[in-house]
Amino acid sequence: MGHAGLAVLDCAHFDAGECRSCTWLGRGYDDQLATKQATTRALVGATAMVWEEPVTSRHAAFRNKAKMVVAGSAAAPTLGILDPRGLGVDLRDCGLHIPVVTDALPVLAAFVARADLTPYDVAGDLPVGQRGELKHLLVTGSPDGELMVRIVVRSRSTEARIRKHLPWLRAELPHLRVLTLNVQPEHSAVLEGEQEIVLTGQDTLPMRLGAITLHLRPRSFFQTNTEVAAALYRAAVDWTAELAPQRVVDLYCGVGGFALHLAAPGRTVTGIEISADAIASAERSHDEAGLPGEIGFAVGDATAPGHAELLSEADLVVVNPPRRGLGHELARRLEESGVPHLLYSSCNPETLARDLADFASYTPVRGRLLDMFPQTPHAEVLVLLERQRSE
């Protein structure tokens, strides 16, 4: 992926001080990448390991998801973020989003006006029940140009109006595959609630990554950078092919990204994930893919102690934890399992380094930085660990 050396991204919102989400926006891309590599290598601290060339990213139009706070009025909504006073800053023209998402945002703003959806007033002094209904619009785009839109509201009081105007929205956005109403009643900064009402016939967004298509449900996690996510899975496949494991366990398997890509003839792959929705997505993707080998998924807590036998029988364990990392208890159980190889995909090099320090019997032998989040100090890192042979 030859994106290195690209120019600095221009952004009027950054220049005006309206949005500082892209904390590294003023830095050249080569400088960003070099700093991330140096920081990651210093944190990991394994001088003997082989670092492969980093996977670079587009510096703009790479985010497949927009998380837009809705403010202003129903007649003139803003879609973006809130300023320090709680007023809306409109970011419909944000240069980070992929085109299908960017093109959808003005249509969704028009839908807000058409359906008379009053934005929720975070900063006002009105009682919660009088503060409006519409909180966020969460928009995800697929490689095939389809959309998932989640409308986050305080209650279901606007559901009838949204359903009434849904035919108009579908006519304006013919590539809209999934539309849901998410209910978040709390007066807090929580992005979404537990209740999700699907308003379309389809309830998953297919994300095609080469030969594998992953199905995303509304509450599913997927990396925000589709191109770099595909490169992450390709790296895992290449590294695993050289190990030729017969039994693979994928903890934190999510919608099955690693597990499905690592399927191979004669290989058993087991994915564990706490989200039942994610497991349902993984199973659907597996059913459609016709992959070789034996693949199974189970709902479960990756950090729970009940997987000891499964881990002890594995040749390779894949872990892809959230930003907080594995934690000492799970790291200890992996240490005790005796599994020959660990493949660790991390979105936080700091917690990766902490977890690696807990693996007394493992040595990092291979690493690669994947620039999942340009214009920020964040990065995805893939590390292969090998268990040291006892003398």
Side-chain angles (χ1 to χ4, degrees):
M1 299 175 68
H3 303 301
L6 292 172
V8 175
L9 175 66
D10 291 325
C11 176
H13 303 291
F14 184 87
D15 293 341
E18 296 175 334
C19 178
R20 292 288 174 168
S21 298
C22 297
T23 52
W24 280 9
L25 195 60
R27 302 176 66 167
Y29 187 73
D30 285 347
D31 179 40
Q32 292 186 30
L33 197 63
T35 303
K36 291 182 186 185
Q37 287 202 95
T39 301
T40 301
R41 292 187 185 195
L43 285 168
V44 173
T47 56
M49 71 184 294
V50 175
W51 283 95
E52 298 187 357
E53 284 296 309
V55 173
T56 60
S57 171
R58 301 174 188 273
H59 74 308
F62 63 85
R63 280 190 63 95
N64 57 36
K65 179 181 289 186
K67 301 177 180 180
M68 312 301 277
V69 179
V70 185
S73 65
T78 62
L79 276 57
I81 60 174
L82 300 178
D83 68 13
R85 299 168 296 168
L87 302 178
V89 176
D90 197 279
L91 300 178
R92 277 178 261 182
D93 60 345
C94 175
L96 300 187
H97 300 133
I98 60 176
V100 67
V101 171
T102 300
D103 293 345
L105 295 177
V107 178
L108 291 169
F111 178 75
V112 170
R114 190 179 189 89
D116 192 25
L117 304 177
T118 304
Y120 186 78
D121 183 5
V122 175
D125 296 325
L126 294 171
V128 171
Q130 299 175 27
R131 287 188 166 188
E133 289 290 326
L134 179 58
K135 294 187 172 184
H136 304 102
L137 290 173
L138 310 179
V139 187
T140 304
S142 79
D144 294 321
E146 293 185 304
L147 286 168
M148 176 190 293
V149 176
R150 302 172 65 203
I151 303 174
V152 183
V153 291
R154 185 183 65 84
S155 72
R156 295 184 66 169
S157 64
T158 58
E159 181 179 349
R161 293 206 303 279
I162 291 171
R163 289 184 181 275
K164 175 184 175 181
H165 294 284
L166 179 54
W168 178 89
L169 183 61
R170 302 205 72 160
E172 295 295 314
L173 293 178
H175 44 297
L176 176 64
R177 179 180 171 93
V178 182
L179 181 73
T180 72
L181 199 66
N182 178 275
V183 182
Q184 202 291 83
E186 302 299 324
H187 181 56
S188 68
V190 177
L191 187 66
E192 60 187 51
E194 294 295 325
Q195 187 178 15
E196 195 95 29
I197 302 111
V198 180
L199 304 180
T200 46
Q202 300 288 343
D203 63 353
T204 69
L205 180 67
M207 301 292 283
R208 181 175 49 82
L209 303 174
I212 304 294
T213 296
L214 302 177
H215 281 272
L216 303 190
R217 280 180 163 75
R219 296 172 62 81
S220 298
F221 166 79
F222 184 75
Q223 288 91 349
T224 59
N225 191 323
T226 307
E227 283 188 0
V228 178
L232 173 66
Y233 296 133
R234 285 196 300 270
V237 170
D238 291 344
W239 293 6
T240 301
E242 297 180 16
L243 303 176
Q246 291 187 322
R247 294 158 297 187
V248 175
V249 174
D250 181 7
L251 299 179
Y252 304 98
C253 74
V255 296
F258 283 105
L260 294 171
H261 279 85
L262 294 180
R267 180 179 296 165
T268 299
V269 182
T270 304
I272 307 293
E273 167 61 46
I274 198 168
S275 166
D277 279 352
I279 290 296
S281 295
E283 290 174 336
R284 176 171 176 178
S285 298
H286 173 234
D287 291 343
E288 292 182 359
L291 297 169
E294 182 180 341
I295 307 173
F297 295 96
V299 178
D301 184 352
T303 65
H307 309 306
E309 183 176 355
L310 184 66
L311 296 177
S312 66
E313 295 176 349
D315 302 305
L316 171 70
V317 172
V318 181
V319 291
N320 184 24
R323 288 190 59 80
R324 64 178 178 272
L326 300 175
H328 297 301
E329 284 302 309
L330 180 54
R332 178 182 58 80
R333 281 192 283 274
L334 289 168
E335 174 76 22
E336 294 172 350
S337 71
V339 60
H341 289 95
L342 298 173
L343 189 61
Y344 193 139
S345 179
S346 169
C347 62
N348 186 345
E350 292 185 356
T351 55
L352 167 66
R354 182 205 65 201
D355 290 338
L356 293 183
D358 284 338
F359 292 130
S361 302
Y362 291 89
T363 300
V365 294
R366 199 168 185 175
R368 194 171 196 184
L369 184 142
L370 301 99
D371 195 16
M372 195 80 72
F373 319 101
Q375 318 302 345
T376 78
H378 305 298
E380 190 84 15
V381 185
L382 188 66
V383 174
L384 178 65
L385 295 98
E386 184 174 81
R387 190 171 183 85
Q388 303 166 12
R389 292 183 176 88
S390 54
E391 300 295 334

